[in-house]
Short mmCIF file of all heavy atoms in Angstrom, two decimals:
data_model
loop_
_atom_site.label_atom_id
_atom_site.label_comp_id
_atom_site.label_asym_id
_atom_site.label_seq_id
_atom_site.Cartn_x
_atom_site.Cartn_y
_atom_site.Cartn_z
N TYR A 20 104.17 97.74 72.56
CA TYR A 20 104.44 98.90 73.39
C TYR A 20 105.71 98.77 74.22
O TYR A 20 105.90 99.50 75.19
CB TYR A 20 103.24 99.17 74.29
CG TYR A 20 102.02 99.57 73.49
CD1 TYR A 20 101.01 98.66 73.23
CD2 TYR A 20 101.91 100.85 72.96
CE1 TYR A 20 99.91 99.02 72.47
CE2 TYR A 20 100.82 101.22 72.20
CZ TYR A 20 99.81 100.30 71.96
OH TYR A 20 98.72 100.66 71.19
N GLU A 21 106.61 97.84 73.86
CA GLU A 21 107.93 97.85 74.47
C GLU A 21 108.72 98.96 73.79
O GLU A 21 108.39 99.38 72.68
CB GLU A 21 108.61 96.49 74.30
CG GLU A 21 109.84 96.32 75.16
CD GLU A 21 109.62 96.76 76.59
OE1 GLU A 21 108.92 96.06 77.34
OE2 GLU A 21 110.14 97.84 76.96
N TYR A 22 109.75 99.50 74.44
CA TYR A 22 110.42 100.66 73.85
C TYR A 22 111.92 100.71 74.16
O TYR A 22 112.41 100.08 75.10
CB TYR A 22 109.77 101.97 74.33
CG TYR A 22 109.87 102.20 75.83
CD1 TYR A 22 110.99 102.84 76.38
CD2 TYR A 22 108.85 101.80 76.68
CE1 TYR A 22 111.08 103.05 77.75
CE2 TYR A 22 108.93 102.00 78.05
CZ TYR A 22 110.05 102.63 78.57
OH TYR A 22 110.14 102.83 79.93
N LEU A 23 112.62 101.48 73.33
CA LEU A 23 114.02 101.86 73.56
C LEU A 23 114.06 103.37 73.73
O LEU A 23 113.17 104.09 73.26
CB LEU A 23 114.89 101.44 72.38
CG LEU A 23 114.97 99.95 72.03
CD1 LEU A 23 115.94 99.76 70.86
CD2 LEU A 23 115.41 99.12 73.22
N TRP A 24 115.14 103.86 74.38
CA TRP A 24 115.36 105.31 74.49
C TRP A 24 116.23 105.75 73.31
O TRP A 24 117.38 105.34 73.19
CB TRP A 24 116.05 105.65 75.80
CG TRP A 24 115.14 105.60 77.01
CD1 TRP A 24 115.22 104.75 78.06
CD2 TRP A 24 114.04 106.46 77.28
NE1 TRP A 24 114.25 105.00 78.97
CE2 TRP A 24 113.49 106.06 78.53
CE3 TRP A 24 113.44 107.54 76.61
CZ2 TRP A 24 112.39 106.69 79.11
CZ3 TRP A 24 112.34 108.16 77.18
CH2 TRP A 24 111.83 107.74 78.42
N ILE A 25 115.66 106.60 72.45
CA ILE A 25 116.35 107.05 71.25
C ILE A 25 116.47 108.57 71.27
O ILE A 25 115.51 109.27 71.63
CB ILE A 25 115.60 106.60 69.98
CG1 ILE A 25 115.46 105.07 69.97
CG2 ILE A 25 116.30 107.09 68.72
CD1 ILE A 25 116.76 104.32 69.96
N LEU A 26 117.65 109.08 70.89
CA LEU A 26 117.89 110.53 70.90
C LEU A 26 116.89 111.25 70.01
O LEU A 26 116.64 110.86 68.88
CB LEU A 26 119.32 110.82 70.45
CG LEU A 26 120.40 110.43 71.46
CD1 LEU A 26 121.77 110.34 70.79
CD2 LEU A 26 120.44 111.44 72.60
N GLY A 27 116.35 112.36 70.55
CA GLY A 27 115.31 113.07 69.82
C GLY A 27 115.75 114.38 69.21
O GLY A 27 114.99 114.99 68.45
N SER A 28 116.97 114.83 69.50
CA SER A 28 117.45 116.11 68.97
C SER A 28 118.33 115.88 67.74
O SER A 28 119.33 115.17 67.79
CB SER A 28 118.25 116.86 70.04
OG SER A 28 118.80 118.04 69.49
N LYS A 29 117.95 116.50 66.64
CA LYS A 29 118.70 116.35 65.39
C LYS A 29 120.10 116.95 65.50
O LYS A 29 120.98 116.64 64.69
CB LYS A 29 117.94 116.99 64.24
CG LYS A 29 116.66 116.27 63.89
CD LYS A 29 115.97 116.92 62.69
CE LYS A 29 114.69 116.18 62.33
NZ LYS A 29 114.01 116.78 61.16
N LYS A 30 120.32 117.83 66.46
CA LYS A 30 121.63 118.47 66.63
C LYS A 30 122.65 117.51 67.23
O LYS A 30 123.85 117.76 67.15
CB LYS A 30 121.50 119.70 67.53
CG LYS A 30 120.65 120.82 66.93
CD LYS A 30 120.59 122.00 67.87
CE LYS A 30 119.76 123.14 67.30
NZ LYS A 30 119.70 124.30 68.22
N HIS A 31 122.18 116.45 67.83
CA HIS A 31 123.11 115.54 68.49
C HIS A 31 123.81 114.68 67.44
O HIS A 31 123.18 114.18 66.51
CB HIS A 31 122.37 114.64 69.48
CG HIS A 31 123.27 114.01 70.49
ND1 HIS A 31 124.09 112.94 70.19
CD2 HIS A 31 123.50 114.31 71.80
CE1 HIS A 31 124.77 112.61 71.26
NE2 HIS A 31 124.43 113.42 72.27
N PRO A 32 125.14 114.48 67.57
CA PRO A 32 125.90 113.73 66.55
C PRO A 32 125.48 112.26 66.45
O PRO A 32 125.72 111.62 65.43
CB PRO A 32 127.35 113.85 67.03
CG PRO A 32 127.26 114.19 68.48
CD PRO A 32 126.03 115.02 68.62
N GLU A 33 124.82 111.70 67.49
CA GLU A 33 124.40 110.30 67.46
C GLU A 33 122.96 110.15 66.98
O GLU A 33 122.46 109.02 66.89
CB GLU A 33 124.54 109.66 68.84
CG GLU A 33 125.95 109.65 69.41
CD GLU A 33 126.89 108.76 68.59
OE1 GLU A 33 126.40 107.88 67.86
OE2 GLU A 33 128.11 108.97 68.69
N PHE A 34 122.29 111.25 66.69
CA PHE A 34 120.88 111.21 66.34
C PHE A 34 120.60 110.24 65.19
O PHE A 34 119.76 109.36 65.29
CB PHE A 34 120.38 112.61 65.98
CG PHE A 34 118.97 112.64 65.46
CD1 PHE A 34 117.89 112.66 66.32
CD2 PHE A 34 118.72 112.64 64.08
CE1 PHE A 34 116.59 112.66 65.83
CE2 PHE A 34 117.42 112.66 63.59
CZ PHE A 34 116.36 112.67 64.47
N GLN A 35 121.33 110.41 64.10
CA GLN A 35 121.09 109.62 62.91
C GLN A 35 121.35 108.12 63.16
O GLN A 35 120.54 107.26 62.82
CB GLN A 35 121.96 110.11 61.75
CG GLN A 35 121.67 109.44 60.41
CD GLN A 35 120.28 109.77 59.89
OE1 GLN A 35 119.77 110.87 60.10
NE2 GLN A 35 119.65 108.81 59.22
N LYS A 36 122.48 107.82 63.81
CA LYS A 36 122.83 106.42 64.06
C LYS A 36 121.87 105.77 65.07
O LYS A 36 121.56 104.59 64.97
CB LYS A 36 124.28 106.33 64.57
CG LYS A 36 125.31 106.68 63.50
CD LYS A 36 126.71 106.53 64.04
CE LYS A 36 127.75 106.84 62.97
NZ LYS A 36 129.14 106.71 63.47
N HIS A 37 121.43 106.59 66.05
CA HIS A 37 120.46 106.08 67.01
C HIS A 37 119.20 105.60 66.29
O HIS A 37 118.69 104.51 66.56
CB HIS A 37 120.11 107.19 68.02
CG HIS A 37 120.60 106.91 69.41
ND1 HIS A 37 119.81 106.99 70.51
CD2 HIS A 37 121.84 106.55 69.86
CE1 HIS A 37 120.51 106.70 71.59
NE2 HIS A 37 121.76 106.44 71.22
N HIS A 38 118.71 106.43 65.37
CA HIS A 38 117.47 106.09 64.67
C HIS A 38 117.68 104.93 63.70
O HIS A 38 116.77 104.11 63.51
CB HIS A 38 116.94 107.33 63.95
CG HIS A 38 116.19 108.25 64.87
ND1 HIS A 38 114.83 108.20 65.04
CD2 HIS A 38 116.64 109.23 65.70
CE1 HIS A 38 114.47 109.12 65.93
NE2 HIS A 38 115.56 109.77 66.34
N GLU A 39 118.84 104.87 63.08
CA GLU A 39 119.12 103.74 62.19
C GLU A 39 119.15 102.44 62.98
O GLU A 39 118.64 101.40 62.52
CB GLU A 39 120.46 103.96 61.48
CG GLU A 39 120.42 105.06 60.43
CD GLU A 39 121.79 105.35 59.85
OE1 GLU A 39 122.77 104.71 60.32
OE2 GLU A 39 121.89 106.21 58.96
N ALA A 40 119.75 102.49 64.16
CA ALA A 40 119.81 101.30 65.01
C ALA A 40 118.41 100.87 65.43
O ALA A 40 118.06 99.68 65.39
CB ALA A 40 120.67 101.58 66.25
N PHE A 41 117.59 101.85 65.81
CA PHE A 41 116.22 101.51 66.23
C PHE A 41 115.42 100.90 65.08
O PHE A 41 114.69 99.93 65.26
CB PHE A 41 115.48 102.73 66.76
CG PHE A 41 114.03 102.44 67.03
CD1 PHE A 41 113.65 101.69 68.13
CD2 PHE A 41 113.04 102.85 66.14
CE1 PHE A 41 112.32 101.36 68.34
CE2 PHE A 41 111.72 102.54 66.35
CZ PHE A 41 111.35 101.79 67.46
N ASP A 42 115.57 101.47 63.88
CA ASP A 42 114.84 100.93 62.72
C ASP A 42 115.18 99.47 62.48
O ASP A 42 114.31 98.66 62.13
CB ASP A 42 115.14 101.76 61.47
CG ASP A 42 114.50 103.15 61.53
OD1 ASP A 42 113.57 103.33 62.34
OD2 ASP A 42 114.95 104.04 60.79
N LYS A 43 116.43 99.11 62.70
CA LYS A 43 116.85 97.72 62.51
C LYS A 43 116.26 96.83 63.61
O LYS A 43 115.87 95.69 63.35
CB LYS A 43 118.37 97.62 62.49
CG LYS A 43 119.01 98.25 61.25
CD LYS A 43 120.52 98.19 61.32
CE LYS A 43 121.15 98.86 60.09
NZ LYS A 43 122.63 98.88 60.16
N VAL A 44 116.23 97.37 64.84
CA VAL A 44 115.62 96.62 65.94
C VAL A 44 114.15 96.35 65.62
O VAL A 44 113.66 95.23 65.74
CB VAL A 44 115.74 97.40 67.27
CG1 VAL A 44 114.87 96.74 68.35
CG2 VAL A 44 117.20 97.44 67.72
N LYS A 45 113.46 97.39 65.23
CA LYS A 45 112.03 97.26 64.93
C LYS A 45 111.78 96.24 63.81
O LYS A 45 110.89 95.39 63.91
CB LYS A 45 111.45 98.62 64.54
CG LYS A 45 109.92 98.65 64.47
CD LYS A 45 109.44 100.07 64.22
CE LYS A 45 107.92 100.14 64.33
NZ LYS A 45 107.21 99.16 63.51
N ALA A 46 112.57 96.32 62.76
CA ALA A 46 112.39 95.40 61.63
C ALA A 46 112.64 93.95 62.05
O ALA A 46 111.92 93.04 61.63
CB ALA A 46 113.33 95.80 60.50
N SER A 47 113.66 93.75 62.88
CA SER A 47 113.97 92.39 63.31
C SER A 47 112.90 91.84 64.26
O SER A 47 112.44 90.70 64.10
CB SER A 47 115.33 92.36 64.01
OG SER A 47 116.37 92.58 63.08
N PHE A 48 112.50 92.64 65.24
CA PHE A 48 111.53 92.15 66.21
C PHE A 48 110.13 92.00 65.62
O PHE A 48 109.32 91.24 66.14
CB PHE A 48 111.51 93.07 67.44
CG PHE A 48 112.53 92.71 68.48
CD1 PHE A 48 113.85 93.10 68.33
CD2 PHE A 48 112.19 91.94 69.58
CE1 PHE A 48 114.81 92.75 69.27
CE2 PHE A 48 113.13 91.59 70.53
CZ PHE A 48 114.46 91.99 70.37
N ASP A 49 109.85 92.71 64.54
CA ASP A 49 108.57 92.53 63.86
C ASP A 49 108.43 91.11 63.30
O ASP A 49 107.32 90.61 63.09
CB ASP A 49 108.41 93.54 62.72
CG ASP A 49 107.93 94.90 63.21
OD1 ASP A 49 107.50 94.98 64.38
OD2 ASP A 49 107.98 95.88 62.44
N LYS A 50 109.56 90.46 63.07
CA LYS A 50 109.55 89.11 62.52
C LYS A 50 109.38 88.03 63.60
O LYS A 50 109.12 86.87 63.29
CB LYS A 50 110.85 88.84 61.75
CG LYS A 50 111.05 89.75 60.54
CD LYS A 50 112.32 89.39 59.77
CE LYS A 50 113.56 89.64 60.60
NZ LYS A 50 114.81 89.38 59.82
N ILE A 51 109.55 88.43 64.86
CA ILE A 51 109.49 87.44 65.95
C ILE A 51 108.07 86.92 66.14
O ILE A 51 107.11 87.69 66.15
CB ILE A 51 110.01 88.05 67.27
CG1 ILE A 51 111.51 88.30 67.19
CG2 ILE A 51 109.71 87.12 68.45
CD1 ILE A 51 112.10 88.85 68.47
N LYS A 52 107.96 85.60 66.29
CA LYS A 52 106.71 84.97 66.63
C LYS A 52 106.91 84.15 67.91
O LYS A 52 107.99 83.61 68.13
CB LYS A 52 106.23 84.07 65.50
CG LYS A 52 105.90 84.84 64.21
CD LYS A 52 105.42 83.91 63.12
CE LYS A 52 105.08 84.69 61.85
NZ LYS A 52 104.62 83.79 60.77
N TYR A 53 105.85 84.10 68.72
CA TYR A 53 105.99 83.44 70.01
C TYR A 53 106.34 81.96 69.89
O TYR A 53 106.93 81.37 70.80
CB TYR A 53 104.71 83.59 70.83
CG TYR A 53 103.54 82.77 70.33
CD1 TYR A 53 103.38 81.43 70.72
CD2 TYR A 53 102.59 83.32 69.47
CE1 TYR A 53 102.32 80.67 70.27
CE2 TYR A 53 101.53 82.56 69.02
CZ TYR A 53 101.40 81.23 69.40
OH TYR A 53 100.34 80.48 68.96
N ASP A 54 105.98 81.34 68.75
CA ASP A 54 106.19 79.89 68.62
C ASP A 54 107.35 79.52 67.70
O ASP A 54 107.44 78.38 67.24
CB ASP A 54 104.90 79.23 68.12
CG ASP A 54 104.42 79.80 66.80
OD1 ASP A 54 105.01 80.79 66.33
OD2 ASP A 54 103.44 79.26 66.25
N GLU A 55 108.25 80.48 67.43
CA GLU A 55 109.40 80.19 66.59
C GLU A 55 110.69 80.60 67.30
O GLU A 55 110.71 81.55 68.08
CB GLU A 55 109.29 80.94 65.25
CG GLU A 55 108.14 80.46 64.38
CD GLU A 55 108.09 81.20 63.05
OE1 GLU A 55 108.94 82.10 62.84
OE2 GLU A 55 107.21 80.87 62.23
N PRO A 56 111.82 79.91 67.04
CA PRO A 56 113.10 80.23 67.67
C PRO A 56 113.56 81.64 67.31
O PRO A 56 113.18 82.20 66.29
CB PRO A 56 114.06 79.18 67.09
CG PRO A 56 113.19 78.10 66.57
CD PRO A 56 111.91 78.74 66.13
N ILE A 57 114.40 82.21 68.17
CA ILE A 57 114.89 83.58 67.93
C ILE A 57 116.40 83.61 67.68
O ILE A 57 117.03 84.66 67.82
CB ILE A 57 114.53 84.50 69.12
CG1 ILE A 57 115.14 83.96 70.43
CG2 ILE A 57 113.03 84.67 69.25
CD1 ILE A 57 115.02 84.93 71.57
N ASP A 58 116.99 82.49 67.27
CA ASP A 58 118.44 82.43 67.05
C ASP A 58 118.89 83.45 66.00
O ASP A 58 119.90 84.13 66.17
CB ASP A 58 118.85 81.02 66.61
CG ASP A 58 118.59 79.98 67.69
OD1 ASP A 58 118.49 80.40 68.87
OD2 ASP A 58 118.49 78.79 67.37
N GLU A 59 118.13 83.58 64.90
CA GLU A 59 118.50 84.52 63.85
C GLU A 59 118.39 85.95 64.34
O GLU A 59 119.19 86.82 63.97
CB GLU A 59 117.61 84.31 62.62
CG GLU A 59 117.89 83.02 61.86
CD GLU A 59 119.33 82.97 61.36
OE1 GLU A 59 119.83 84.01 60.88
OE2 GLU A 59 119.96 81.89 61.47
N ILE A 60 117.40 86.23 65.17
CA ILE A 60 117.21 87.59 65.70
C ILE A 60 118.40 87.95 66.59
O ILE A 60 118.88 89.08 66.58
CB ILE A 60 115.89 87.68 66.49
CG1 ILE A 60 114.72 87.22 65.64
CG2 ILE A 60 115.66 89.10 66.99
CD1 ILE A 60 114.52 88.01 64.37
N LYS A 61 118.88 87.00 67.35
CA LYS A 61 120.05 87.24 68.21
C LYS A 61 121.25 87.67 67.36
O LYS A 61 121.98 88.60 67.73
CB LYS A 61 120.40 86.00 69.01
CG LYS A 61 119.44 85.70 70.15
CD LYS A 61 119.91 84.48 70.95
CE LYS A 61 118.99 84.21 72.12
NZ LYS A 61 119.45 83.05 72.93
N LYS A 62 121.46 87.01 66.23
CA LYS A 62 122.58 87.37 65.35
C LYS A 62 122.39 88.77 64.79
O LYS A 62 123.34 89.56 64.70
CB LYS A 62 122.70 86.36 64.21
CG LYS A 62 123.15 84.98 64.66
CD LYS A 62 123.24 84.01 63.47
CE LYS A 62 123.68 82.62 63.93
NZ LYS A 62 123.74 81.68 62.79
N GLU A 63 121.14 89.11 64.42
CA GLU A 63 120.86 90.43 63.86
C GLU A 63 121.05 91.54 64.89
O GLU A 63 121.33 92.69 64.53
CB GLU A 63 119.43 90.46 63.31
CG GLU A 63 119.23 89.58 62.08
CD GLU A 63 117.78 89.53 61.63
OE1 GLU A 63 116.99 90.38 62.10
OE2 GLU A 63 117.44 88.67 60.79
N MET A 64 120.91 91.21 66.15
CA MET A 64 121.04 92.22 67.21
C MET A 64 122.48 92.45 67.64
O MET A 64 122.77 93.44 68.32
CB MET A 64 120.20 91.81 68.43
CG MET A 64 118.69 91.95 68.22
SD MET A 64 118.17 93.65 67.82
CE MET A 64 117.95 93.51 66.03
N GLU A 65 123.39 91.58 67.29
CA GLU A 65 124.79 91.73 67.71
C GLU A 65 125.39 93.07 67.29
O GLU A 65 125.98 93.77 68.12
CB GLU A 65 125.63 90.56 67.19
CG GLU A 65 125.34 89.25 67.90
CD GLU A 65 126.12 88.08 67.31
OE1 GLU A 65 126.90 88.31 66.36
OE2 GLU A 65 125.96 86.94 67.80
#
C-alpha cells in the first residue's frame, strides 16, 4: 500500500510516460525481499 502520484487524465501529455514509469517501479519493487540487497533495484530506478 505504498504509492506514487501518477497523472490520471489521458489528455495530459505526460499521462502515458507517467504510467510507463510507474509500471517499471512496480515491476522492480515486486522483486524486493526484506532479506536481500537492493543494489540492482537502485540501478533500475535511476
Side-chain angles (χ1 to χ4, degrees):
Y20 295 101
E21 193 47 72
Y22 63 87
L23 299 182
W24 284 115
I25 302 299
L26 288 162
S28 175
K29 292 183 179 180
K30 295 181 180 180
H31 199 284
E33 299 294 340
F34 173 84
Q35 187 65 34
K36 291 182 178 180
H37 248 230
H38 280 266
E39 289 174 358
F41 172 74
D42 289 342
K43 291 177 182 177
V44 170
K45 191 174 187 308
S47 291
F48 274 80
D49 278 347
K50 297 183 295 184
I51 291 182
K52 296 181 179 179
Y53 72 86
D54 57 354
E55 294 182 358
I57 58 171
D58 296 339
E59 290 300 319
I60 306 300
K61 287 183 178 181
K62 291 180 181 179
E63 292 175 13
M64 287 301 101
E65 288 177 1

